[in-house]
Amino acid sequence: MPKTDQPTIIAIVSQKGGSGKTTLAVNLATRAAQASQESCVIDTDPQATAAAWGDWRGDFLPVVVTAPPARLTRTIESAKKNGVEFIVIDTPPHADAAAREAIKAADIVLIPTKPRAFDLAALEPIADLVSFAKTPAFVVLNAVPTGATVLANEARKTAEGMGLSICPVELGDRAAFHRSSAKGETAAEIDPSGKAAQEVDALWKWLNKVLKKAQK
Ligand SMILES: Nc1ncnc2c1ncn2[C@@H]1O[C@H](COP(=O)(O)OP(=O)(O)OP(=O)(O)O)[C@@H](O)[C@H]1O
Ligand SMILES: [Mg+2]
């Protein structure tokens, strides 16, 4: 990712609880830190799950700060002043003010979604929000069971039918994601050569490519 004065801002949103927003946020922000980016997670979820992860983690990057949606812009400004280069905004479930503010502030929106009918149906309000805001947005299929090719293909078709783009990298159902989170770590930190680590790495590289194209 090029070093510029403007940080890269990623919003992670999804209407559905437990779709993997916080997991994606902390794994991506930590991957950015591993690439020597000053990275930060802004947790706008009153449940403060990312913030709890940050507390367990201690003094290692990424920094995790909490901010109610009404304070998001100010919090981003203060992160900029502190030299933060990569910001991931974690949001609560529901397509409400928090999701709207995060989408407005972001360069790109990631929408983690399990490839299940109810989860896919819940994409509709988010699809409306991102199309209104015109921020580039991608569905990231998450916790895809091993070998579930048909399920994943159907999920992609459903999301595309709502006018959403699909991230070509998907995350499998991997124990390393939940095992690591409970310790304030990431999948790549507890199992650097594991599949979860490879997927996050592929996602990071894809993100760089897309952002370079999107950036002037
Ligand atoms: N790819 C994955 N493989 C296995 N477990 C996962 C994966 N992604 C997330 N999980 C687990 O699923 C649970 C929910 O994930 P997470 O907290 O990231 O979701 P969320 O969208 O942030 O939830 P909420 O809407 O409540 O904030 C956690 O226990 C997490 O460890
Ligand atoms: Mg969460």
Side-chain angles (χ1 to χ4, degrees), residues 14 16-24 45 47 49 90-93 114 142-144 171-175 177-179 181:
S14 92
K16 194 86 178 143
S19 62
K21 295 178 285 299
T22 304
T23 303
L24 187 55
D45 184 355
Q47 295 176 104
T49 314
D90 189 16
T91 64
K114 291 183 180 165
N142 185 35
V144 180
L171 307 179
D173 188 358
R174 316 250 176 245
F177 283 117
H178 67 250
R179 276 190 15 242
S181 297

Side-chain angles (χ1 to χ4, degrees), residues 130-151:
V130 294
S131 100
F132 183 74
K134 299 194 170 58
T135 312
F138 295 84
V139 170
V140 180
L141 290 183
N142 185 35
V144 180
T146 307
T149 321
V150 175
L151 193 71

Side-chain angles (χ1 to χ4, degrees), residues 43-67:
D43 187 356
T44 64
D45 184 355
Q47 295 176 104
T49 314
W53 176 87
D55 291 343
W56 298 328
R57 186 169 181 79
D59 286 336
F60 299 98
L61 282 176
V63 172
V64 184
V65 295
T66 53

Side-chain angles (χ1 to χ4, degrees), residues 92-152:
H94 308 306
D96 59 7
R100 218 169 27 241
E101 290 302 315
I103 290 168
K104 224 164 60 183
D107 299 310
I108 189 167
V109 180
L110 299 181
I111 310 162
T113 307
K114 291 183 180 165
R116 303 268 185 280
F118 289 154
D119 298 62
L120 293 163
L123 283 174
E124 198 82 64
I126 295 289
D128 291 346
L129 280 188
V130 294
S131 100
F132 183 74
K134 299 194 170 58
T135 312
F138 295 84
V139 170
V140 180
L141 290 183
N142 185 35
V144 180
T146 307
T149 321
V150 175
L151 193 71

